[in-house]
Amino acid sequence: MWKITKYNRIMALLSVFLILIMGSGLGAATEIIVRNGESIQVAVDNATPGDTIIVEPGTYNGNIVLNTENLVIMSQSGNPEDTIIQGDGFDLKSDAQGTVIKGFTLKGTDNSYGINLNDYADCTIEKNKIENYNTAVSTSIYSTFTINNNEISSCDSGIDIGESYSATVKDNTISNCRTGVVVGDLGNANIENNMIKENDNGIALMYEARATIVGNNVNFNKKCGLYDNSYGGSTIYNNYFNNTVNVIFGSNHNYPNTWNTTKTAAANIISGPHIAGNYWAKPDGTGFSQTHYDADGDGIAEDEVILNEKEIDHAAIVSSNIVTPEQPVETPNENQTGNQTEVPNENQTEAPNESQIGNQTEIPAQNLTELPVEGIEDTGSSSSGGSHHSSGSSGGSAGGSPEPQKNVEAKDTARVFIPGEKLVYFNFTNNVTVVDYISFESEKTMGKTTAIVENLKNKSDLVTELPEGNVYKSFNVWVGNGGYGDSGDIRNAAISFKVEKAWIQENNINSSSIVLYKYDNKNKEWMKLPVNLTNEDDQSLHFTANVPGYSSFVITGEQSTLTTELTQTEADSKGSNNESNTSSETGAENPKSPGFGIIGVVVGLICAIRCKRI
């Protein structure tokens, strides 16, 4: 009897154990692999909550609808460049809670969305490239999301935040959109540490929008950095604003924002000693923070920035130099500001003729040109190889140029503080060289460092030969010393340069053929770098290019094929005319010239009349 009872107990325990194992197996998350040529949608449809869908490198169809919670959809490589989704991207329905999407390039056709969050949807979007959509990321009522470390470009709206419970937009780069970030309705957003640049409008606050906007670089946006047509009241501090017009208030704006926080001892947006207000720059160097300096070393201006009577930055960030730096030798040409009349105190108070901004409202186009100016401590310029100046300070790197000065046509310098792992800009506002600015991230803190730009008279003495194409200008860029500017110590390097329209027209250059070449000192060859046309003013076209580092550069362009053929025809025609003219000058008979025949007839008639009278 005892043996049977013991046996039954053992069997019961084993049964319970097996049930537990089976139960845990049924609920375990599964990895689903999607191979190139297969459907991501099929994998999503077959997934259960908690699964991870891993997509191998390749190009896939979009319009992927999600109805399952807690899915992770990610590229296998983690590299957006090799895992591409074409067309509409991801459409998250209300049941798609806790979704993670990361590691893709989403390429649209200027329509619809890259990632769309429906009512109540919840999503984390990170490490993607999203481009060419009407809206890169679109959100709906009560959605919750985090958008982190993405690159968004060439969209009508970069990120459109509707009536969300919670929205975090952090560490993204948003560029070349009509509006970078739109916060509307009852949107409640944290916008932090983003690079929002070269859009028409940087950030737009609409209706009852409320946002905390902290630690962003809002630069080079053509119409304005921040357009506020809301009545929600936002907190905006420790941002770097550098736009021809930094702030515009719309007609519906009636609740003041907070433009600074309590002074806190910590590195601010320009690596100064305190976090407080914002840094206010303008492309022509006349921004508040560029013309006001700190007298007591706390990195905060002694004066206030008055945007209007209710909108005041009481603790604007400035350079902590006690001595006012020398002013630039030359000021930018007035044409660089287009037809826009700048309003003092960093803002324009009215936005005329509002039109659509994403799904909200946008200010109309204005003819503005932006030349980035960020963190300039000292600038100097010279021409014809003369010396440059820099109001010095201890520490950092002064740098120098290996180019023989007899070959230098013009020179400009800028000196800024380089922190570790933060994007910095060197801006050349004297308008004496082809370079507008350079930007990069440094692997380590370098302190105050000088960058030099040199327009050259001829080919650089440091290169063996010129690249192919019609050369517009040879120039050098040097950062720091010891080869720092062309080393592995910098990343995400870029350069902005300009090409005069007069040269393009006189040489019949196709503007779309303009490229930048960088000299590879190691392999002794030219590297061809694609460029993007980012702006245009009355005199020049402005381009940007990503570069592997800084050394010797050449800008080239190609003649239009049609124009070249026409030019050759004109030359042939001119040569024929020259031959005819030469024949006439040497007395050869020209059967097409009637001059002598007419003269002979007239003389004959006169003689006949005189003879008849006699």
Side-chain angles (χ1 to χ4, degrees):
M1 183 69 180
W2 178 85
K3 291 183 179 180
I4 295 173
T5 303
K6 184 177 180 181
Y7 175 79
N8 290 337
R9 287 178 179 176
I10 293 172
M11 292 302 296
L13 289 172
L14 287 173
S15 299
V16 170
F17 182 69
L18 289 172
I19 290 171
L20 290 173
I21 292 176
M22 292 174 65
S24 63
L26 289 172
T30 302
E31 284 191 356
I32 302 173
I33 306 298
V34 180
R35 292 178 170 79
N36 190 12
E38 296 178 350
S39 169
I40 299 175
Q41 182 67 66
V42 170
V44 167
D45 293 342
N46 290 325
T48 58
D51 285 352
T52 297
I53 298 173
I54 299 175
V55 182
E56 292 185 349
T59 300
Y60 298 85
N61 293 325
N63 196 19
I64 302 161
V65 180
L66 282 73
N67 285 291
T68 305
E69 65 182 3
N70 296 326
L71 292 183
V72 175
I73 307 175
M74 59 185 292
S75 67
Q76 185 182 61
S77 66
N79 178 14
E81 299 290 346
D82 62 23
T83 312
I84 300 167
I85 297 174
Q86 293 183 328
D88 293 350
F90 294 91
D91 186 13
L92 278 69
K93 303 301 183 183
S94 57
D95 290 334
Q97 303 291 312
T99 302
V100 176
I101 298 172
K102 63 180 179 180
F104 297 97
T105 289
L106 281 72
K107 288 188 176 181
T109 56
D110 297 324
N111 297 312
S112 197
Y113 54 83
I115 300 176
N116 181 50
L117 278 67
N118 287 274
D119 297 356
Y120 300 97
D122 175 16
C123 187
T124 298
I125 303 164
E126 61 184 8
K127 298 181 181 178
N128 301 285
K129 293 183 68 174
I130 309 174
E131 55 192 41
N132 296 321
Y133 288 98
N134 182 273
T135 304
V137 180
S138 177
T139 70
S140 299
I141 189 169
Y142 306 137
S143 60
T144 301
F145 57 90
T146 298
I147 304 175
N148 179 55
N149 198 20
N150 300 277
E151 294 182 25
I152 298 172
S153 63
S154 304
C155 297
D156 191 79
S157 295
I159 301 172
D160 196 323
I161 302 170
E163 192 173 336
S164 59
Y165 274 141
S166 176
T168 299
V169 179
K170 185 177 181 181
D171 296 328
N172 302 282
T173 297
I174 307 170
S175 63
N176 295 308
C177 297
R178 192 165 71 163
T179 306
V181 180
V182 184
V183 186
D185 299 322
L186 288 171
N188 192 359
N190 294 310
I191 304 172
E192 183 180 352
N193 294 341
N194 300 282
M195 173 59 69
I196 304 172
K197 65 177 183 177
E198 297 172 357
N199 305 285
D200 286 349
N201 308 286
I203 302 171
L205 304 176
M206 313 302 301
Y207 311 120
E208 298 178 77
R210 295 181 304 276
T212 301
I213 303 172
V214 180
N216 301 281
N217 283 276
V218 186
N219 300 327
F220 335 142
N221 298 287
K222 301 176 182 67
K223 298 175 184 176
C224 67
L226 173 66
Y227 176 57
D228 190 351
N229 196 32
S230 69
Y231 39 89
S234 295
T235 301
I236 306 166
Y237 66 91
N238 198 36
N239 300 285
Y240 196 118
F241 289 102
N242 179 21
N243 311 275
T244 301
V245 177
N246 279 319
V247 181
I248 292 179
F249 296 107
S251 57
N252 291 328
H253 175 73
N254 61 7
Y255 195 91
N257 301 304
T258 300
W259 293 92
N260 54 270
T261 188
T262 302
K263 185 170 78 171
T264 304
N268 61 35
I269 193 75
I270 62 167
S271 299
H274 291 94
I275 293 174
N278 300 279
Y279 189 90
W280 301 96
K282 285 191 175 183
D284 61 1
T286 63
F288 178 93
S289 297
Q290 297 162 305
T291 57
H292 292 70
Y293 298 92
D294 171 33
D296 57 11
D298 65 354
I300 298 173
E302 312 308 320
D303 299 324
E304 298 174 328
V305 175
I306 301 175
L307 302 172
N308 65 30
E309 60 182 9
K310 295 182 179 180
E311 304 282 347
I312 301 172
D313 188 342
H314 298 283
I317 299 169
V318 295
S319 168
S320 57
N321 289 341
I322 295 177
V323 180
T324 302
E326 296 180 51
Q327 296 300 310
V329 175
E330 298 183 19
T331 57
N333 191 297
E334 293 179 358
N335 289 333
Q336 290 177 334
T337 57
N339 298 325
Q340 172 65 35
T341 301
E342 294 186 17
V343 181
N345 300 327
E346 310 307 323
N347 75 298
Q348 178 173 315
T349 56
E350 296 182 0
N353 302 323
E354 292 182 353
S355 58
Q356 284 301 309
I357 223 184
N359 296 326
Q360 318 292 337
T361 306
E362 180 191 26
I363 60 172
Q366 303 174 46
N367 184 16
L368 299 181
T369 299
E370 70 285 1
L371 295 177
V373 179
E374 181 170 337
I376 294 182
E377 306 265 348
D378 308 294
T379 61
S381 67
S382 65
S383 60
S384 300
S387 62
H388 67 281
H389 71 265
S390 175
S391 53
S393 60
S394 61
S397 173
S401 169
E403 185 74 39
Q405 292 303 291
K406 65 182 180 180
N407 192 35
V408 176
E409 179 182 62
K411 179 184 292 188
D412 203 353
T413 65
R415 184 173 173 83
V416 306
F417 183 92
I418 301 179
E421 299 183 347
K422 286 190 176 181
L423 193 64
V424 293
Y425 288 82
F426 289 79
N427 302 271
F428 304 94
T429 59
N430 294 313
N431 199 31
V432 296
T433 71
V434 295
V435 177
D436 295 328
Y437 71 89
I438 64 172
S439 64
F440 59 88
E441 295 178 14
S442 179
E443 294 283 353
K444 55 187 177 182
T445 299
M446 296 296 294
K448 289 185 178 179
T449 302
T450 297
I452 302 172
V453 176
E454 300 169 321
N455 273 14
L456 303 181
K457 298 176 183 178
N458 302 297
K459 175 182 74 66
S460 172
D461 282 12
L462 309 175
V463 306
T464 55
E465 60 183 2
L466 289 172
E468 61 183 8
N470 296 278
V471 174
Y472 171 65
K473 183 61 66 179
S474 295
F475 67 96
N476 297 327
V477 180
W478 312 112
V479 182
N481 54 24
Y484 167 75
D486 200 21
S487 70
D489 291 330
I490 68 171
R491 59 175 184 258
N492 298 326
I495 188 168
S496 174
F497 63 91
K498 52 184 172 284
V499 177
E500 291 182 346
K501 291 180 178 178
W503 178 80
I504 294 173
Q505 295 167 357
E506 290 170 3
N507 294 277
N508 303 313
I509 299 297
N510 182 348
S511 60
S512 64
S513 72
I514 291 174
V515 295
L516 182 68
Y517 285 91
K518 179 192 178 295
Y519 192 69
D520 184 344
N521 290 298
K522 181 178 180 180
N523 296 315
K524 305 300 180 185
E525 62 183 12
W526 288 102
M527 302 169 59
K528 186 176 182 180
L529 306 173
V531 303
N532 294 313
L533 176 63
T534 55
N535 207 6
E536 177 179 355
D537 57 38
D538 292 340
Q539 293 183 338
S540 304
L541 299 180
H542 296 259
F543 299 87
T544 58
N546 295 323
V547 297
Y550 302 103
S551 57
S552 296
F553 295 89
V554 172
I555 303 167
T556 71
E558 299 292 340
Q559 281 191 324
S560 171
T561 303
L562 178 60
T563 305
T564 304
E565 293 173 356
L566 290 173
T567 302
Q568 183 60 47
T569 302
E570 291 171 359
D572 293 342
S573 176
K574 184 175 180 181
S576 176
N577 289 337
N578 287 339
E579 291 176 3
S580 299
N581 292 337
T582 303
S583 298
S584 298
E585 291 170 2
T586 56
E589 183 180 356
N590 184 350
K592 295 183 180 180
S593 178
F596 290 109
I598 294 173
I599 293 171
V601 171
V602 172
V603 172
L605 288 172
I606 293 172
C607 292
I609 293 170
R610 290 179 62 87
C611 291
K612 189 174 183 180
R613 288 180 178 177
I614 294 173

